[in-house]
Amino acid sequence: MKFGPGQREIWAGSATSLGGVSNPDPRPDEVTCTPGPPAGGVEVLPAREVPLGGPRAMLVRRTLPQRSRSLVGAWCFVDHYGPDDVGVTGGMKVTPHPHTGLQTVSWLFTGEIEHRDSAGHHAVVRPGELNLMTAGRGISHSEISTTTTGTLHGVQLWVALPDATRHTEPGFEHHAPEPVEGPGWRARVFLGELLGQRSPVRTHTPLVGAEIVLEPGTTLRLDVDETHEHGVLVDLGALEVDGVPVATHELAHVPLGRASTTLVAGDEEVRLLLLGGTPLGESIVMWWNFVGRTHEEVVAFREEWQAQVERDGE
């Protein structure tokens, strides 16, 4: 496992980079994530606010992982931020940091972020366009909001790689999905298959990811894969998911075994992300930016990264 050359930021037990793509806690907890308990109905998961950065801390709203449910399919981390005035918060300034055993999914509603990684990829994240980075056996990257960004608003998501492919080579994919629309709704499907659209982006377990916008009062019945569990993250407005009220910033978990789910918008426009997939079926260990399988493995990742940045800093 190698994180790549050219990393000059020394990590010494506290993160100086902005979270959501990097855990900023000085002493982050090691979290063992397992599939949640079987759910008979829709479960609503509240968000907790996490301050990121320094004195002008930007807040993110984190709905995964949490105690009651740490995975939705292979989705293992959901951070939702903004809209933030970059002139006040300072924007996103994520210096080079490592990842293992996961894919990062960046999706923006407003603003732009510049991505660079140790595998040589350089891209700009723009609204309505997917940037997916596969960490595999190890990668490091930085993410910085562009100088032209006045408002930053989006999500940072992680997908845990299954044991069979988690040591794969690092990679990067960009995809700008075409919008699809119907009476009172429009959508962009960035992963998997939904609403007659199929994303070409490769995933290592069956997944779906889509942004959906509903006009006020719209009812949308979605045909979904009944072998998937789903999460509905509400960005704007409020809606009902299969009859259960879900407020702005909350994540609704829809259990396996449903061939359809019904979304009903309230009196205002609703924007949401639908995230789903087959259960991972494996326990994972998350600490800082690493996803592994055991405590000892994560310790080894940490020590290798620390040794590498110290060598690069010489």
Side-chain angles (χ1 to χ4, degrees), residues 31-45 63-73 75-76 229-231 251-256 279:
V31 179
T32 300
C33 298
T34 58
V42 174
E43 175 188 9
V44 178
L45 306 174
T63 46
L64 281 183
Q66 55 181 278
R67 219 167 262 181
S68 63
R69 188 166 299 278
S70 51
L71 292 165
V72 175
W75 300 95
C76 62
E229 56 183 336
H230 294 87
L251 178 72
H253 174 262
V254 182
L256 294 165

Side-chain angles (χ1 to χ4, degrees), residues 90-104:
M92 183 175 287
K93 297 178 181 178
V94 183
T95 54
H97 61 282
H99 287 289
T100 61
L102 57 82
Q103 292 179 299
T104 63

Side-chain angles (χ1 to χ4, degrees), residues 189-213:
V189 180
F190 52 85
L191 287 178
E193 186 174 5
L194 188 74
L195 293 165
Q197 304 297 301
R198 180 189 292 272
S199 168
V201 176
R202 183 192 177 200
T203 62
H204 293 253
T205 56
L207 293 174
V208 66
E211 176 189 312
I212 301 174
V213 177

